[in-house]
Amino acid sequence: RAASGTGKHRVDHVGPRIEKFQVAAIQVVGKHRPLDKKKVRALSESIKLIGLKTPPTVRQGNKGPSLVTGHHRLEAAKLLGWREIDCFVTDGGKTDRRLWTIAENLHRVDLTPLQRAEYLEEWEKLMKERDKDVQVTQPGGRQPKDKGYSKLAKQLGTTREDVRRLKAITALSPKARAAARATGLDKKTQPLLKAAKASTPQKQTKKMQELASSKQAARRGSLTPDESEQLKALKRAYNRATKFKQAWDDATTAVRQKFIKSVLKPLV
């Protein structure tokens, strides 16, 4: 039976601590990613077919269980009409709970490279706050970067190269990051890396804007079917303009430039 006032049932288990909770008793408070209704529906269909493979995580407080990670999974359970759900239970403090959240979120496929880099950045900060002596140096000098990358990769279940790229992206200033989000470049790793190499925040932002302009120009280079037909019509007209082509060939460079400025540019 449920424990009084908590909505909790204990279940026997081996390995990670898992308990069964009443879905309605789990409180969603604090910092969570915004819900995507489409993802909740898709997740509910997946759970219906194959079951809940990764339980949400909760912590047990004086007012009952509160969600740490798994907001979409909890909402999917509600959509399916579940009354109870298995959950991992964490007894750690605020820092440990946030580390758990980051570790889970870093492996989500829908995160942008910039979001993953910012999670890595927050992870390092929290680890240093939790373990004041986290910087362990080797005899004879400072710990090399490669070893630091390997340590982070092991902690987060990823590769050293992935950590190296994410660390490079964290060099972006707040303004450069905002520019990346505003232009959609936060979803692409290479533009972020290119901008991060700039020596100052101002140059990073400028580089991000330049890359966005190049991206827009490339998009404009692809024509719609109607525009492709218009281009063909222009080419046919040009091919029939034998007198114009002869006059162009006979003209000097200065005359051609004057023709472009005085005739073609006003048309554009």
Side-chain angles (χ1 to χ4, degrees):
R1 286 187 297 178
S4 175
T6 65
K8 178 183 70 173
H9 298 265
R10 182 175 295 280
V11 294
D12 294 330
H13 63 278
V14 176
R17 179 185 167 198
I18 296 179
E19 296 183 12
K20 193 177 292 291
F21 291 83
Q22 292 180 6
V23 170
I26 299 173
Q27 305 168 69
V28 181
V29 294
K31 186 178 179 181
H32 293 278
R33 298 182 67 210
L35 278 175
D36 184 323
K37 292 182 179 179
K38 289 183 179 179
K39 290 179 183 177
V40 171
R41 287 195 294 270
L43 188 54
S44 68
E45 290 299 320
S46 173
I47 292 173
K48 188 189 299 182
L49 289 172
I50 63 173
L52 181 63
K53 297 302 181 183
T54 306
T57 302
V58 300
R59 71 179 180 90
Q60 187 68 292
N62 295 331
K63 297 181 180 180
S66 60
L67 190 70
V68 177
T69 64
H71 197 185
H72 283 78
R73 282 164 276 171
L74 179 63
E75 291 302 314
K78 291 179 182 179
L79 190 62
L80 290 169
W82 287 13
R83 296 184 64 185
E84 296 181 330
I85 186 170
D86 286 338
C87 295
F88 288 118
V89 181
T90 175
D91 296 318
K94 185 177 179 181
T95 298
D96 286 333
R97 294 196 300 272
R98 185 58 186 162
L99 287 168
W100 184 301
T101 300
I102 293 170
E104 273 207 8
N105 284 339
L106 265 172
H107 298 285
R108 295 179 62 91
V109 295
D110 57 342
L111 287 180
T112 67
L114 182 56
Q115 287 173 325
R116 294 188 71 238
E118 288 174 338
Y119 271 131
L120 178 75
E121 189 174 46
E122 187 181 358
W123 174 277
E124 284 195 285
K125 180 182 177 182
L126 290 172
M127 287 295 289
K128 287 177 182 178
E129 289 176 359
R130 195 185 70 168
D131 305 316
K132 299 298 183 182
D133 57 345
V134 69
Q135 295 286 343
V136 180
T137 58
Q138 292 183 330
R142 192 174 62 180
Q143 179 177 320
K145 281 187 177 181
D146 281 354
K147 187 170 182 180
Y149 293 164
S150 297
K151 182 178 179 180
L152 276 172
K154 185 176 180 180
Q155 289 174 347
L156 297 170
T158 186
T159 66
R160 186 169 61 84
E161 180 59 21
D162 184 40
V163 169
R164 186 193 66 76
R165 287 194 297 266
L166 295 177
K167 284 281 289 179
I169 291 171
T170 62
L172 288 170
S173 67
K175 285 187 177 180
R177 297 182 192 193
R181 290 190 174 95
T183 57
L185 292 181
D186 60 317
K187 301 177 179 66
K188 303 291 184 181
T189 300
Q190 289 307 313
L192 294 171
L193 291 173
K194 288 179 181 178
K197 290 179 180 178
S199 56
T200 66
Q202 293 78 9
K203 289 181 179 179
Q204 287 179 349
T205 304
K206 184 179 179 181
K207 183 64 175 179
M208 196 66 72
Q209 292 167 344
E210 289 174 354
L211 291 169
S213 297
S214 299
K215 181 181 176 183
Q216 292 170 355
R219 283 178 178 174
R220 288 195 296 268
S222 57
L223 301 177
T224 65
D226 287 342
E227 289 173 331
S228 295
E229 290 301 318
Q230 292 171 16
L231 179 60
K232 289 178 183 178
L234 282 173
K235 287 180 177 180
R236 287 194 297 269
Y238 177 76
N239 289 334
R240 291 194 295 266
T242 53
K243 290 183 178 180
F244 172 81
K245 287 191 284 186
Q246 184 60 54
W248 180 267
D249 290 339
D250 293 340
T252 65
T253 299
V255 171
R256 291 176 183 177
Q257 291 175 346
K258 185 68 173 179
F259 175 83
I260 291 170
K261 290 181 180 178
S262 60
V263 179
L264 296 184
K265 277 197 173 180
L267 293 176
V268 176

